Amino acid sequence: MRDFGTFCMLVRRLGGLRQEDLATLTGLGQSFLSMLESGVRRLTNIDKIIMMLDGLDVPIELTGPMLRTSAHPTPPHGEPSGSLGHPPL
């Protein structure tokens, strides 16, 4: 999916989250998320994309290794990546 606004909205609806909840999980501002979902803003900054993916515990298998941050080392071969402490969506 290329449209992060639609992605945010789907994640929120499926997870029963408010924009404030998603802001807390991702570190992105609620007003930014609101503009993102409405199409006023676009998510093109790689650092913000990584913040969002990390905050939502998106598995490395879905994002590829180039979006792996140093805080989340790649697990040894054959082992699944772990959770960051909050339930998956």
Side-chain angles (χ1 to χ4, degrees):
M1 176 179 305
R2 294 182 183 177
D3 183 353
F4 282 102
T6 302
F7 172 73
C8 288
M9 195 177 311
L10 287 172
V11 166
R12 286 192 321 97
R13 287 182 182 167
L14 291 172
L17 302 171
R18 300 170 301 147
Q19 285 179 342
E20 293 84 6
D21 301 326
L22 193 58
T24 299
L25 287 172
T26 63
L28 300 171
Q30 182 275 324
S31 60
F32 178 81
L33 292 170
S34 175
M35 290 186 288
L36 190 64
E37 288 185 12
S38 67
V40 173
R41 296 283 308 264
R42 297 198 55 81
L43 188 56
T44 57
N45 180 302
I46 190 69
D47 293 331
K48 287 187 177 187
I49 293 170
I50 291 170
M51 284 175 64
M52 175 180 284
L53 297 174
D54 280 349
L56 296 174
D57 277 341
V58 174
I60 186 67
E61 294 81 13
L62 297 179
T63 63
M66 71 186 253
L67 290 181
R68 173 64 73 188
T69 65
S70 60
H72 299 55
T74 304
H77 183 66
E79 293 183 25
S81 58
S83 173
L84 295 179
H86 48 81
L89 299 176

